[in-house]
Amino acid sequence: MEDIEDLETRLLLQPWASVCFAESTLLAKAYFGTAGYALLLCDLSYMWYERTDTQIIQQRSKDLNKRLTAHASSFLNHLRSLMCPLLEGQPTSSMSFSCQLSPSTLTLRVKSELSGLPFYWDFYCSVAPVEMVSRHLVRPLMAMSLALQRQVRELASLLLQKDAEIEDYQESGAALSRERLKTEPFKEESFLQTFEVKAKEQTVMVKPVNMPKGLSG
């Protein structure tokens, strides 16, 4: 049986998605399980987090939706049906969002319908601790960067081997039947230096994703 503590582990396995909430474009990831949900939002300057169990869901649903009476699992399933398509790039027109930022929290307000009645939900997200930012964003990005660098060096090594193979063919008397296919010998050092320079330029150019005025801190 799923435990509330399992939500964090499951959330770690979810991919990031760029999502537009009203005028706010944020990076988001979420996991909705049987014990509750976990949500992360990020604008590349700050990260906000909420983990909520079924008891809190039941009480919040009661506070926000006086006319709706249902078990927490029903509200949880409805939230899943709203958020998961959005994270998969398939938003629906049956809901609307708004964001509200305070010094330490981000509130994401959702409005939709459930059983023919208006349904309201507020995600109350607090600023994520540094360790969570590292675990969900920094470490994965570093791992991807190192993997990319390794692949680039493997590609450079392969191109050098191809050049050696072509040179061997030429020394054996082989010639190109189409001159336009001729290429210059691969220069590994120059290629790697150019790659590193461009990578650093892209890092400097990265900016926080679009947030409405007053929401980017």
Side-chain angles (χ1 to χ4, degrees), residues 27 33 41 50 75 117 125 141 163 179 181 185 189 191 204:
L27 296 178
L41 299 171
E50 183 186 32
F75 293 119
L117 294 173
C125 302
L141 286 175
D163 275 355
E179 186 65 23
L181 297 178
E189 184 176 351
F191 170 78
V204 172

Side-chain angles (χ1 to χ4, degrees), residues 23-211:
E23 298 179 356
S24 310
T25 300
L26 299 169
L27 296 178
K29 64 187 321 191
Y31 174 74
F32 293 84
T34 57
Y37 68 76
L39 173 68
L40 267 179
L41 299 171
C42 179
D43 71 346
L44 297 184
S45 291
Y46 299 94
M47 184 180 290
W48 300 271
Y49 172 69
E50 183 186 32
R51 185 181 69 180
T52 303
D53 60 23
T54 52
Q55 184 176 354
I56 296 176
I57 290 172
Q58 188 74 59
Q59 184 59 50
R60 192 179 301 175
S61 300
K62 183 179 179 181
D63 294 339
L64 296 174
N65 304 279
K66 305 294 185 182
R67 299 170 62 189
L68 287 171
T69 302
H71 191 270
S73 60
S74 297
F75 293 119
L76 188 56
N77 287 334
H78 185 59
L79 289 171
R80 181 188 296 109
S81 69
L82 293 176
M83 296 297 291
C84 288
L86 191 67
L87 294 171
E88 294 169 359
Q90 302 171 351
T92 65
S93 58
S94 61
M95 57 181 172
S96 60
F97 295 93
S98 63
C99 287
Q100 181 178 348
L101 184 67
S102 71
S104 59
T105 63
L106 184 147
T107 301
L108 178 63
R109 302 186 187 279
V110 183
K111 180 181 179 181
S112 68
E113 286 189 3
L114 178 60
S115 300
L117 294 173
F119 175 79
Y120 302 94
W121 188 259
D122 291 347
F123 292 97
Y124 296 122
C125 302
S126 302
V127 173
V130 173
E131 196 280 331
M132 180 174 286
V133 176
S134 175
R135 187 166 64 252
H136 283 271
L137 194 62
V138 178
R139 293 179 197 170
L141 286 175
M142 289 184 66
M144 291 175 63
S145 176
L146 291 173
L148 177 60
Q149 291 180 45
R150 183 168 59 252
Q151 291 179 351
V152 167
R153 293 188 180 279
E154 290 174 354
L155 175 61
S157 177
L158 180 60
L159 289 173
L160 288 173
Q161 294 177 38
K162 289 295 183 181
D163 275 355
E165 184 178 341
I166 292 172
E167 185 179 359
D168 184 67
Y169 287 146
Q170 291 174 337
E171 291 176 351
S172 299
L176 282 173
S177 60
R178 287 171 287 182
E179 186 65 23
R180 64 182 178 82
L181 297 178
K182 185 177 181 179
T183 59
E184 295 295 324
F186 177 66
K187 299 178 180 179
E188 181 182 17
E189 184 176 351
S190 175
F191 170 78
L192 293 177
Q193 288 178 348
T194 301
F195 174 80
E196 291 178 0
V197 169
K198 289 184 177 180
K200 291 178 180 178
E201 289 176 348
Q202 290 298 317
T203 301
V204 172
M205 290 172 61
V206 170
K207 298 180 179 179
V209 289
N210 180 45
M211 294 282 286

